[in-house]
Amino acid sequence: MRNLFKSEYLNNIFQKKVWILENIYMIRIMQLYYCGYKKAFISHAFFDGVIQNTRFHIFLNSVNKLNDKVLYHSQVHGVKHVLNVTFLSYLIACNENLDENDMNILLEIALYHDIGRIDDREDSAHGYRGAEKMLMHISDDKIDMLIPAIIHAHSLLDEEADQIFNQYNLEKSQYNKYLKLLSIIKDADALDRFRLRPDSLNPRYFRIDYSEKLISLACVLSKVEWYEYKN
């Protein structure tokens, strides 16, 4: 297994030939399982816009600071999944017009949302374990506490979010903003389910409308070659 740096992952995303509009794999999967969404194909022009976005440096800075040694390493929930979820979170956040502070918080959550995993099975408690790990490394103020709170909540039902926010003593007047960040993470996490099997994504559960437009992107992201880091 060879090492592949994060910068190479990004190069694969923005330069790989899979982004041509006529991509056979993408069209076949979309027609078989997601015919209602096949109009939203991704092209090179889309990525030109991503790179030219004035907020793209926020995404790059976040990815460059990733400490991959604390991640859970596997072919299912490893580095590639983390980077895919972070990239998809960034795209949704741009569409939702998050400011720079909220964007930084969101991307930090995306990078470390699965650090509580101990295996690749369905596990609603991995968010709690991830939050406990984050609490070992951050200061006790309301902005920082939002990070473990959302990591905790991302593996639970939507209905449990307010209870989790209260548990971390977050500002009640800001719950709507917290829910937006949580919704972005959950949608981005769901979009990367193509890594499991082609029909594993259920768009009915999206919380944000724009997420539907990223289905074809998520489909081919699952085909970008990646080799897991060596510890």
Side-chain angles (χ1 to χ4, degrees), residues 4-218:
L4 190 65
F5 295 101
K6 294 182 287 293
S7 60
E8 294 184 58
Y9 166 82
L10 294 174
N11 286 338
N12 280 345
I13 288 179
F14 292 109
Q15 298 175 15
K16 206 168 178 64
K17 294 180 180 179
V18 293
W19 301 126
I20 61 174
L21 201 61
E22 297 81 12
N23 181 272
I24 296 174
Y25 172 82
M26 178 174 66
I27 291 176
R28 176 158 44 88
I29 297 302
M30 299 292 280
Q31 289 177 337
L32 281 173
Y33 304 110
Y34 304 97
C35 58
Y37 304 92
K38 63 184 179 182
K39 62 181 181 300
F41 287 150
I42 297 296
S43 69
H44 279 295
F46 174 86
F47 289 94
D48 289 339
V50 171
I51 295 172
Q52 294 167 10
N53 191 303
T54 57
R55 289 170 288 184
F56 189 58
H57 72 279
I58 303 175
F59 169 74
L60 291 180
N61 289 341
S62 294
V63 169
N64 286 334
K65 292 187 295 184
L66 171 63
N67 179 6
D68 63 288
K69 292 182 180 179
V70 304
L71 301 182
Y72 172 70
H73 289 266
S74 81
Q75 293 301 311
V76 180
H77 293 97
V79 181
K80 181 186 175 182
H81 170 62
V82 165
L83 293 177
N84 284 353
V85 170
T86 304
F87 183 48
L88 293 164
S89 295
Y90 164 75
L91 295 176
I92 300 171
C94 285
N95 187 75
E96 296 298 305
N97 294 313
L98 263 62
D99 62 30
E100 184 166 348
N101 182 64
D102 287 347
M103 180 83 78
N104 279 316
I105 291 173
L106 174 74
L107 298 181
E108 182 86 354
I109 294 166
L111 289 170
Y112 299 106
H113 74 283
D114 272 348
I115 62 172
R117 281 202 166 273
I118 55 176
D119 55 45
D120 289 318
R121 294 178 296 182
E122 290 290 332
D123 177 14
S124 62
H126 78 271
Y128 166 75
R129 291 193 297 270
E132 290 291 293
K133 286 188 176 182
M134 291 301 293
L135 285 170
M136 296 170 60
H137 303 290
I138 65 175
S139 59
D140 187 12
D141 62 70
K142 285 184 169 56
I143 293 178
D144 280 344
M145 290 299 285
L146 178 56
I147 295 174
I150 293 184
I151 289 177
H152 187 165
H154 95 275
S155 63
L156 302 175
L157 297 174
D158 290 356
E159 294 76 13
E160 299 179 72
D162 283 1
Q163 178 184 344
I164 299 302
F165 295 159
N166 185 61
Q167 180 178 326
Y168 288 82
N169 297 314
L170 299 182
E171 187 65 47
K172 285 185 169 57
S173 64
Q174 298 296 308
Y175 273 19
N176 285 340
K177 181 178 78 171
Y178 306 154
L179 287 171
K180 174 62 68 69
L181 297 176
L182 177 60
S183 294
I184 294 174
I185 290 294
K186 284 194 168 190
D187 277 13
D189 203 9
L191 278 163
D192 198 44
R193 290 183 65 84
F194 279 110
R195 73 194 188 284
L196 305 178
R197 62 181 188 276
D199 62 341
S200 60
L201 174 64
N202 190 338
R204 291 181 300 174
Y205 293 108
F206 284 145
R207 299 148 186 88
I208 297 173
D209 291 341
Y210 181 72
S211 300
E212 292 182 0
K213 297 184 178 180
L214 300 177
I215 292 176
S216 62
L217 166 61

